[in-house]
Amino acid sequence: MTITIPYIAPENKYRHSLYYLLLLFLITIVAYWPLSFHVLSLKNDALNYFLPVRHLVSESYHNNILPLWTPYLNLGYPLHGDMQSGVWNPIVQLFSFFGPYTLYTLQLETLLYIYLGGAGMFFLLKHYKVHPTANLLASVAYMLCGFNSDSAQFLNWIAGTAFLPFAILFYSRCLEEKSIKQGIYTGIALFLLFTCAYPADFILTAYVLAAMLIYHLVMAFRDKKKFFTADFFVSHLFLAVIFLVLSSPAILSYYQSLPLTERGSGASYSEAMSNSLHPALLSSYTTPLSIWKMPGVDTTDPLERNSYIGLAGIIILIAGYFIKFRSRLAIFSKWAVIIFLLFSLGKWGGLRSLAYYVMPLMNSFRHPANARMFTIFFSCLLVGFSFDSIIKQQTNQNSIKKDFLITLLVMLTVLIYSLFTPFSFFSSSSFSQLFNPNNGTGIINYLKEKLDAISFADITVINTLLQLPFFYLLYKFLIKKFNPGYFLITAIINGILFTFLFLPFTAIKKETAIGTQKIINSFLVQGYPLPNPNETLEKNSVDNEKYLEKMGCLNLYNKKIGRSDYRITPSNLLLQNSFWFDEKFRNMVMRYPLIYKADFIAAINDRSRAKDDTLSKWAFIKDIKAIEGYSKNDSVKFNLSKFEPNRIELSIKTNQASYIVLLQNYYPRWKVTVDGELTSVENTNISFMGFRIPGGEHKVVIYYEANDIRTAFIISLSLLSILLIYIVIAETKKRIKPIS
């Protein structure tokens, strides 16, 4: 006898969207409560890179200085050319209005991206008239997905999850309505992806939009509908213009900077395949905790393994492949899940290898596992459409039972496999000692030691035991006694629980946010102090490695000019790398002060002639013509009056013509004036700047010339402000329409 689920009439309208947005907000706060209430601190990349760099960027903005250059990162670095620094990120710009970044600001930005992702998914599914209960299931699954839990310490990665739903929503409407308004909205969404997210996310999104366009063209051709109308071209023209104008300062910056940095030449095939998602890690859909100890998956970075969308999510996702949809986006999502899953597998899936060789820009980024973001996004879309279909239609119960059975078999397969590996926590001796520790450290420390040493078998058993009650409740509320509301509540609790369990592995450390910020404050120097002309680069770098154990490069906080051997930036300047890896020469130059007069000048290829001492200071340059008249015995006096990131002012007094070296990285935009007259800036000592001055006392200004970028920024910011005003006016006038 075939039993069917009774038809449930959908709500005749959504409640006010604010109700659902508030619910998503509360779920975010609860699921990420260690960050929401600053109980614990973000760790690793969040502290080593994003916090100190965002602090520098926000401090510049807060002091009305465009953050183009910083002298405090690896002997000078063009922040505006770093695609991950946040200089052109409007969220960072907004937060900077209230003051320089702290750890609290960084954690709020992290939560904002996670929340925006859920809100974007909500509006996308609402547009397609998905039942509110199904919408919430998909939105929460996306917001609390394993990708966000994995990548909470990588702000640009989770920024991709925040703005991808909006890009898909607005471009879908742009194709449907062919309106200028939706073209504008799509342009803004792409601008946010371009300036906030990981570069690969923008590239892959562009391909997704291109695929959507092709799909709509094919459907229009099949249905014999006219597609290429004047409205189509006008809406896409506005899309392109809005994106290009808003992104213009970033485009100008990246266009010049990328060829001068180590990643500007793209990635080799082996680099592009690095951090592929190991196929065994697909077990994270049912037993996500086990992936942290799973043997044989070392090819995937520990922070790029998790694809969890909730236990309810995977059950409904499987159901989606047995449901026939009318919605084009639902059909598109079915294929997109498979394509991006294969892409994320890297060399195992084949598609990433093919794309590397035949598709533009696919040779410019690494981390195939990052494509999990798109797999999860389209999976959650499919979950929303599938659950909507289950709620609204008479559905064969046996087909849904099969989805539960498949999920249970996957979970049990992982469990059985783990039983053939050694136990640690559940060994007889360890488990008996758990409740009677005699080592004098106390139960909490003892438990922590055991959890640190937990095995794959241990954690898989724990994960399975945690999932079984949820599995039963989900089965009960979908099969035995159909109740979508209780099913949703169970799914939300499951997502919150596992999000909290993921965080200690991936995002947070045991130190409190207050304690971490207190350490930073103890070293923090406000503003832009004048550097001590007698301190050497070596002296200013001596404490960096010790400080790295806590939260990154000390120079970015104490405002001293030094260098860290630790990779604090994702893409160093090529010249700086050449200097740093010439160890003997580097050691000599690091003993010089920030600015000095050269006692000896020679060709760069003859730098082996240099004496390894601080009594004689050398300058090695490409062009050594007209160096007569430089005297080693001639004294020079420097008097610094201003030292800001983009501008240095000083007076120099010398009796004879001198060659002056500034140990800041050479970059084409640096200019030097001597008494108001431009003089040549030369590449000196492999990576630095040198210039010549005549005898006498002179006023020297060294400045970062970027009028084109400043103009583009003013235009971009003005346009963005106008568009935001337009959006507020347009959306407040629009009534919330019911759906059927």
Side-chain angles (χ1 to χ4, degrees):
M1 178 179 177
T2 301
I3 301 175
T4 57
I5 297 173
Y7 175 73
I8 304 295
E11 297 180 21
N12 60 2
K13 64 177 182 178
Y14 271 84
R15 302 173 189 177
H16 196 286
S17 295
L18 186 61
Y19 168 83
Y20 297 99
L21 294 177
L22 179 60
L23 181 59
L24 291 174
F25 176 77
L26 292 175
I27 292 171
T28 305
I29 296 299
V30 173
Y32 289 89
W33 68 268
L35 300 181
S36 306
F37 301 103
H38 306 301
V39 176
L40 298 173
S41 167
L42 285 166
K43 62 182 179 181
N44 297 342
D45 283 44
L47 294 185
N48 289 334
Y49 173 76
F50 287 102
L51 178 57
V53 170
R54 268 166 165 67
H55 175 78
L56 294 177
V57 169
S58 59
E59 186 176 38
S60 289
Y61 273 125
H62 195 64
N63 286 286
N64 298 315
I65 298 173
L66 195 59
L68 302 171
W69 184 268
T70 179
Y72 309 116
L73 178 54
N74 288 355
L75 306 178
Y77 187 70
L79 284 174
H80 69 105
D82 184 346
M83 301 183 79
Q84 303 185 57
S85 68
V87 168
W88 307 120
N89 181 332
I91 305 296
V92 174
Q93 294 169 2
L94 177 63
F95 283 0
S96 300
F97 178 80
F98 301 99
Y101 258 60
T102 64
L103 178 58
Y104 312 128
T105 318
L106 191 79
Q107 297 190 165
L108 289 176
E109 185 185 355
T110 302
L111 294 171
L112 176 62
Y113 290 140
I114 293 169
Y115 171 69
L116 285 176
M121 180 66 72
F122 167 78
F123 284 118
L124 176 55
L125 289 173
K126 180 173 182 254
H127 171 70
Y128 282 93
K129 301 181 181 180
V130 170
H131 192 283
T133 303
N135 189 336
L136 282 175
L137 177 66
S139 299
V140 173
Y142 183 62
M143 195 167 62
L144 304 184
C145 67
F147 184 90
N148 279 343
S149 301
D150 268 4
S151 305
Q153 59 176 273
F154 307 137
L155 265 73
N156 54 338
W157 284 31
I158 61 172
T161 67
F163 301 117
L164 176 62
F166 292 101
I168 302 300
L169 167 62
F170 296 135
Y171 193 61
S172 296
R173 298 189 64 175
C174 184
L175 293 173
E176 294 166 4
E177 303 171 18
K178 301 181 182 66
S179 69
I180 292 176
K181 177 182 175 181
Q182 298 306 323
I184 291 173
Y185 284 11
T186 308
I188 296 173
L190 289 176
F191 155 70
L192 291 170
L193 267 171
F194 183 64
T195 55
C196 302
Y198 185 58
D201 297 340
F202 175 79
I203 295 171
L204 291 175
T205 301
Y207 276 106
V208 169
L209 299 190
M212 291 173 62
L213 174 59
I214 294 171
Y215 181 69
H216 272 72
L217 289 174
V218 171
M219 293 296 102
F221 178 79
R222 186 197 67 177
D223 299 336
K224 298 180 180 180
K225 293 181 179 179
K226 189 176 181 181
F227 193 82
F228 288 115
T229 63
D231 290 342
F232 170 84
F233 288 107
V234 171
S235 63
H236 280 71
L237 176 64
F238 270 82
L239 185 162
V241 170
I242 292 298
F243 168 74
L244 290 173
V245 174
L246 291 178
S247 305
S248 57
I251 293 172
L252 287 172
S253 299
Y254 303 155
Y255 179 78
Q256 181 177 42
S257 181
L258 285 176
L260 302 176
T261 57
E262 58 189 310
R263 293 194 183 173
S265 58
S268 66
Y269 177 79
S270 60
E271 290 173 334
M273 295 301 117
S274 64
N275 288 328
S276 298
L277 184 68
H278 194 285
L281 295 172
L282 296 179
S283 62
S284 65
Y285 279 103
T286 58
T287 50
L289 295 178
S290 65
I291 61 177
W292 308 117
K293 295 290 184 174
M294 180 174 283
V297 295
D298 294 341
T299 52
T300 305
D301 187 278
L303 298 180
E304 299 176 28
R305 297 179 177 180
N306 195 352
S307 301
Y308 194 61
I309 56 172
L311 189 59
I314 185 61
I315 294 169
I316 303 300
L317 174 64
I318 295 171
Y321 280 91
F322 300 97
I323 297 174
K324 291 184 178 180
F325 296 106
R326 292 183 180 180
S327 168
R328 291 181 179 178
L329 184 59
I331 298 170
F332 184 87
S333 297
K334 279 188 177 183
W335 288 99
V337 169
I338 297 172
I339 290 170
F340 280 108
L341 176 59
L342 292 174
F343 189 95
S344 68
L345 297 177
K347 57 186 178 182
W348 290 292
L351 283 182
R352 181 67 183 96
S353 299
L354 180 64
Y356 179 86
Y357 289 110
V358 302
M359 299 175 70
L361 297 178
M362 287 292 184
N363 62 349
S364 63
F365 58 88
R366 305 178 297 154
H367 306 298
N370 177 258
R372 289 165 23 261
M373 183 184 94
F374 293 85
T375 309
I376 290 171
F377 170 75
F378 285 108
S379 294
C380 291
L381 274 181
L382 195 54
V383 167
F385 285 112
S386 301
F387 198 40
D388 174 75
S389 179
I390 291 171
I391 293 173
K392 292 179 179 178
Q393 301 175 11
Q394 289 185 342
T395 308
N396 189 292
Q397 190 183 40
N398 289 329
S399 65
I400 303 178
K401 283 183 177 180
K402 291 177 182 178
D403 306 327
F404 276 90
L405 180 60
I406 293 171
T407 305
L408 182 61
L409 287 175
V410 172
M411 188 162 52
L412 292 179
T413 300
V414 179
L415 175 64
I416 293 170
Y417 170 65
S418 73
L419 297 180
F420 290 93
T421 63
F423 282 93
S424 172
F425 183 77
F426 288 120
S427 64
S428 57
S429 60
S430 296
F431 195 71
S432 61
Q433 292 178 24
L434 173 62
F435 301 101
N436 187 30
N438 297 316
N439 56 4
T441 60
I443 186 66
I444 300 300
N445 288 335
Y446 183 77
L447 182 59
K448 182 182 181 304
E449 291 175 6
K450 287 298 178 183
L451 290 176
D452 289 341
I454 200 169
S455 70
F456 171 59
D458 297 327
I459 200 167
T460 304
V461 169
I462 293 171
N463 197 153
T464 305
L465 291 174
L466 286 173
Q467 288 286 44
L468 288 177
F470 288 106
F471 190 87
Y472 168 76
L473 290 173
L474 292 171
Y475 184 84
K476 176 181 178 180
F477 296 132
L478 198 62
I479 302 297
K480 288 188 173 182
K481 186 179 180 181
F482 186 70
N483 190 317
Y486 285 169
F487 184 88
L488 172 64
I489 293 171
T490 304
I492 291 174
I493 295 173
N494 180 264
I496 291 174
L497 172 64
F498 277 89
T499 296
F500 173 67
L501 293 176
F502 295 150
L503 291 180
F505 288 102
T506 59
I508 59 176
K509 59 179 186 172
K510 62 181 181 180
E511 285 81 9
T512 66
I514 294 174
T516 301
Q517 186 61 46
K518 185 177 180 180
I519 294 174
I520 293 173
N521 291 341
S522 68
F523 292 100
L524 192 62
V525 173
Q526 304 287 348
Y528 306 106
L530 296 177
N532 186 336
N534 298 318
E535 288 184 340
T536 66
L537 300 185
E538 182 182 55
K539 181 179 179 181
N540 288 341
S541 305
V542 70
D543 289 327
N544 274 326
E545 298 306 316
K546 182 171 61 177
Y547 193 55
L548 279 170
E549 296 177 2
K550 291 294 182 181
M551 68 278 303
C553 182
L554 181 61
N555 297 128
L556 278 63
Y557 294 116
N558 68 8
K559 304 293 177 61
K560 293 184 178 180
I561 312 299
R563 162 74 198 237
S564 170
D565 198 21
Y566 181 82
R567 176 171 290 280
I568 197 69
T569 170
S571 188
N572 232 337
L573 288 171
L574 290 171
L575 287 175
Q576 175 61 202
N577 278 354
S578 298
F579 164 76
W580 194 250
F581 294 120
D582 188 339
E583 187 174 357
K584 182 178 179 181
F585 184 69
R586 174 190 80 196
N587 290 337
M588 183 194 74
V589 174
M590 291 293 286
R591 296 190 181 103
Y592 294 164
L594 175 65
I595 187 167
Y596 66 89
K597 183 189 83 70
D599 297 322
F600 300 101
I601 303 175
I604 189 64
N605 293 331
D606 295 333
R607 58 184 179 273
S608 59
R609 294 172 51 194
K611 296 179 180 180
D612 190 10
D613 62 59
T614 55
L615 297 178
S616 299
K617 297 180 177 60
W618 288 75
F620 292 90
I621 59 178
K622 293 181 179 179
D623 185 6
I624 58 172
K625 296 178 182 178
I627 62 171
E628 296 81 3
Y630 293 88
S631 171
K632 174 182 176 181
N633 298 322
D634 182 33
S635 63
V636 64
K637 184 178 293 185
F638 300 104
N639 185 19
L640 276 167
S641 57
K642 177 181 286 189
F643 194 88
E644 293 181 349
N646 305 328
R647 188 178 181 88
I648 303 170
E649 296 180 7
L650 71 159
S651 61
I652 302 177
K653 185 176 182 180
T654 180
N655 295 327
Q656 299 180 12
S658 301
Y659 193 87
I660 308 300
V661 179
L662 175 67
L663 294 179
Q664 282 283 282
N665 286 323
Y666 178 86
Y667 198 79
R669 289 186 176 274
W670 279 110
K671 307 294 181 185
V672 176
T673 63
V674 178
D675 299 327
E677 297 291 331
L678 274 174
T679 189
S680 298
V681 181
E682 303 177 44
N683 182 202
T684 306
N685 290 349
I686 301 180
S687 184
F688 303 106
M689 293 187 283
F691 57 93
R692 309 170 191 228
I693 61 170
E697 185 171 356
H698 306 282
K699 182 179 180 180
V700 176
V701 177
I702 307 166
Y703 65 97
Y704 199 80
E705 199 285 314
N707 288 332
D708 54 338
I709 295 176
R710 287 188 177 89
T711 301
F713 177 65
I714 292 172
I715 295 173
S716 172
L717 191 60
S718 301
L719 177 60
L720 182 61
S721 301
I722 293 170
L723 291 174
L724 289 177
I725 294 172
Y726 163 75
I727 291 171
V728 170
I729 294 174
E731 295 302 318
T732 51
K733 286 183 177 180
K734 186 174 68 175
R735 296 177 59 187
I736 299 178
K737 298 179 180 180
I739 68 170
S740 59

